[in-house]
Amino acid sequence: MKKIITTTTLLLNLCLIAQSKEDSIQFNKISTEILNNGKAYNELRDLTKNIGHRLSGSAAYEKSVQWAAQQLRDAGADKVWLQEVMIPVWERGKESLQIKTDTGKWKSLKMLSLGNSEGTGNKDVSGEIIMVKSMNEYEKLPTEKVKDKIVFFNYPFSQSYIETFKGYSDAAKYRTTAASLTAKKGGKFAIIRSLSSAFDDVPHTGAMRYQDDKKIPAVAIGSTTADELENLLKSQKVVAKLNSNCGMKGEKLSHSVIGEITGKKDKSVIVVGGHLDSWDVGEGAHDDGTGIVQSIEVLRTFKKLGIQNNHTIRVVCFANEENGVKGGIQYGKTAKENNEKHLFAIESDAGGFTPRGIALEMDETKRKQIQSWKPLFLPYGAYDFENKYSGTDIYPLRDMGVPAAELVPDSQRYFDIHHTEEDTFEKVNRRELLLGATVMTQLIYMIDKNW
């Protein structure tokens, strides 16, 4: 009996070694193809330079819809279609923020209105600035101290976190809630310190939301401007004046873009995607043009290498992630209505920097299975499979029980440029971008083969 067990174990180990060698060879073929012949970098140049930023509801976004559909066709998709989505329309318009001390003249500050914020209706709104350094400090202020004032939430992006997304999450509550908190105590508008890991004067936009019907403006300023304003407020009274035209303009019909290659074994779906929209500053390169072109690269590589996928591999270019997530919500709703079986979903929405791993949000059995593949990924620089989160657009699928994941690139530079005019094509490195596409393709290959 002992000899039989030993022989069986040996045969099993030999099979695993052979399988691992086969997978290693396929990983190398994928890497060689993408790094030498990948189209993602050139596609990103086209998207960012010829279309540019792509705010939901804008003419540029609608142009990007047709662009994405054509790229999927060129990549070899068996089927390409547009999925209807009703999206909120927000427009920025002209805006200006000025400050003045008792002894000085009006001085213009670099600023950006926060996404989804209402403006001043092209009227000047002014008042004295009061500064708070934390939410707790603000909550302790009596209403009479805030009434008719401008509240400056000067909460810095924490430099203590090695994973910068933790610093971003920590500071994000100030962006999302500053306006409503200010309004509840009678303030006129809110100013926040940008959610930036950089020490520069570049303001960052991003979505905020109102908690009730009282809607006042909210704007962001860069780190150096925030420091200068703090120093002024230590010694003197400072008045701010805002004039802005931003606001919501209802809803409109738009589209997510979907392309797929049909599975040879069954119709179960593996989703790989990013969001096609961006904010209305910069070029939407790292956020999230890189995720879009990497996802298309996955499909192209399967077709180019002639990999016979068992399950349908579907690329989804989601609409409206930045200020509504309507594309992701609609995709999940449609998948449920059509009773589609989804095996797995991954999104790339953390920038096009060097891939470090994959975050996994799924049951422990499947997490451990993917983690067991780590030796295959190590030669490509992907080592971190410990995080438990997934992309925003695929949350509806995750909530339906679908195993979900997100590409984890190096994040140290991401929040220097996130949601700013600095998010341009020139900030993306070709090899880093293509390595991200490589790791995603390798993972999809393993999921398709083993699930």
Side-chain angles (χ1 to χ4, degrees):
M1 177 65 75
K2 185 176 181 181
K3 184 176 181 181
I4 294 174
I5 292 174
T6 303
T7 303
T8 302
T9 302
L10 177 61
L11 288 172
L12 179 60
N13 287 337
L14 288 173
C15 289
L16 290 173
I17 290 170
Q19 180 179 337
S20 180
K21 184 176 181 181
E22 177 188 329
D23 292 335
S24 181
I25 291 170
Q26 188 64 66
F27 270 41
N28 180 259
K29 288 180 180 178
I30 290 169
S31 174
T32 300
E33 169 59 27
I34 292 177
L35 291 178
N36 284 284
N37 305 312
K39 307 295 184 185
Y41 190 67
N42 289 336
E43 289 173 355
L44 183 64
R45 179 190 289 113
D46 187 27
L47 176 63
T48 55
K49 295 303 180 184
N50 293 326
I51 297 178
H53 54 68
R54 309 166 297 281
L55 184 64
S56 291
S58 67
Y61 179 77
E62 297 307 322
K63 186 176 180 181
S64 75
V65 167
Q66 300 306 317
W67 175 91
Q70 188 59 53
Q71 299 307 314
L72 284 164
R73 294 186 193 101
D74 292 345
D78 301 332
K79 181 182 178 183
V80 177
W81 71 98
L82 307 184
Q83 185 173 82
E84 292 187 347
V85 184
M86 290 301 297
I87 60 170
V89 179
W90 180 79
E91 294 179 359
R92 182 177 301 278
K94 293 181 180 180
E95 55 189 12
S96 67
L97 176 65
Q98 297 176 290
I99 61 169
K100 184 180 72 169
T101 63
D102 289 339
T103 58
K105 297 180 180 179
W106 286 109
K107 175 186 176 182
S108 294
L109 302 183
K110 290 186 68 175
M111 53 76 73
L112 285 173
S113 293
L114 296 180
N116 294 350
S117 172
E118 292 299 318
T120 67
N122 200 28
K123 298 176 181 178
D124 290 342
V125 174
S126 60
E128 181 184 352
I129 300 175
I130 58 173
M131 181 183 73
V132 293
K133 301 282 284 187
S134 70
M135 202 74 76
N136 185 52
E137 183 181 344
Y138 178 76
E139 289 171 354
K140 292 179 180 178
L141 286 176
T143 299
E144 59 268 21
K145 290 285 187 181
V146 179
K147 186 174 174 56
D148 294 329
K149 300 293 196 308
I150 314 308
V151 181
F152 170 36
F153 291 86
N154 190 21
Y155 185 83
F157 188 107
S158 176
Q159 301 295 325
S160 299
Y161 296 106
I162 303 304
E163 293 183 27
T164 59
F165 274 86
K166 292 182 179 179
Y168 177 72
S169 296
D170 173 61
K173 58 182 175 290
Y174 291 89
R175 190 184 71 200
T176 55
T177 65
S180 288
L181 289 174
T182 300
K184 284 180 180 178
K185 292 187 178 183
K188 291 184 174 180
F189 65 87
I191 301 172
I192 70 160
R193 185 187 186 105
S194 288
L195 278 59
S196 173
S197 54
F199 294 86
D200 57 24
D201 198 29
V202 178
H204 295 228
T205 190
M208 53 82 70
R209 58 176 178 266
Y210 292 108
Q211 297 171 353
D212 50 43
D213 293 334
K214 192 171 184 181
K215 299 179 179 180
I216 63 171
V219 305
I221 57 177
S223 298
T224 55
T225 290
D227 289 340
E228 291 167 2
L229 181 55
E230 178 180 356
N231 288 332
L232 280 175
L233 288 166
K234 287 177 180 178
S235 60
Q236 53 198 302
K237 175 182 174 181
V238 181
V239 174
K241 179 170 65 177
L242 175 67
N243 190 305
S244 60
N245 286 311
C246 61
M248 300 301 297
K249 308 296 181 183
E251 292 185 324
K252 70 175 292 187
L253 179 65
S254 191
H255 301 86
S256 296
V257 185
I258 304 173
E260 66 183 29
I261 46 179
T262 307
K264 311 304 178 188
K265 177 183 174 183
D266 60 39
K267 294 181 180 180
S268 299
V269 178
I270 297 172
V271 165
V272 54
H275 65 85
L276 188 55
D277 64 310
S278 76
W279 282 110
D280 59 328
V281 290
E283 295 172 349
H286 277 286
D287 189 20
D288 183 30
T290 54
I292 291 295
V293 298
Q294 285 172 330
S295 299
I296 296 171
E297 191 71 37
V298 172
L299 188 151
R300 187 197 71 81
T301 304
F302 264 75
K303 295 292 286 190
K304 183 67 181 294
L305 294 180
I307 301 173
Q308 298 297 302
N309 50 298
N310 293 317
H311 314 288
T312 293
I313 297 173
R314 180 178 293 171
V315 174
V316 185
C317 304
F318 293 98
N320 185 237
E321 187 272 349
E322 293 292 6
N323 68 325
V325 200
K326 298 299 185 182
I329 293 169
Q330 183 61 51
Y331 181 85
K333 179 182 177 183
T334 301
K336 189 173 184 179
E337 289 173 348
N338 292 341
N339 200 28
E340 290 184 324
K341 180 182 178 182
H342 281 67
L343 288 182
F344 179 77
I346 183 171
E347 183 168 16
S348 172
D349 183 22
F353 297 106
T354 303
R356 301 299 190 196
I358 307 288
L360 306 170
E361 196 166 17
M362 58 195 67
D363 67 60
E364 278 303 305
T365 300
K366 292 191 179 300
R367 287 189 84 247
K368 289 185 182 302
Q369 182 183 17
I370 294 175
Q371 288 169 342
S372 74
W373 302 334
K374 181 177 175 179
L376 290 166
F377 288 96
L378 283 175
Y380 305 92
Y383 58 86
D384 185 359
F385 293 82
E386 299 303 317
N387 288 294
K388 296 182 179 181
Y389 60 82
S390 53
T392 299
D393 289 300
I394 57 177
Y395 271 11
L397 291 176
R398 181 211 64 187
D399 291 344
M400 291 161 55
V402 177
E406 184 163 15
L407 181 69
V408 180
D410 187 288
S411 70
Q412 301 309 316
R413 292 166 286 168
Y414 185 58
F415 291 106
D416 288 6
I417 62 176
H418 182 247
H419 294 174
T420 76
E421 63 187 17
E422 298 292 314
D423 185 10
T424 61
F425 173 75
E426 288 77 14
K427 301 297 192 304
V428 180
N429 176 273
R430 180 184 180 276
R431 283 187 62 83
E432 291 182 329
L433 174 70
L434 294 179
L435 277 169
T438 296
V439 170
M440 289 173 70
T441 307
Q442 291 165 338
L443 178 65
I444 296 303
Y445 161 77
M446 292 297 288
I447 295 291
D448 179 66
K449 178 181 176 181
N450 293 285
W451 285 20

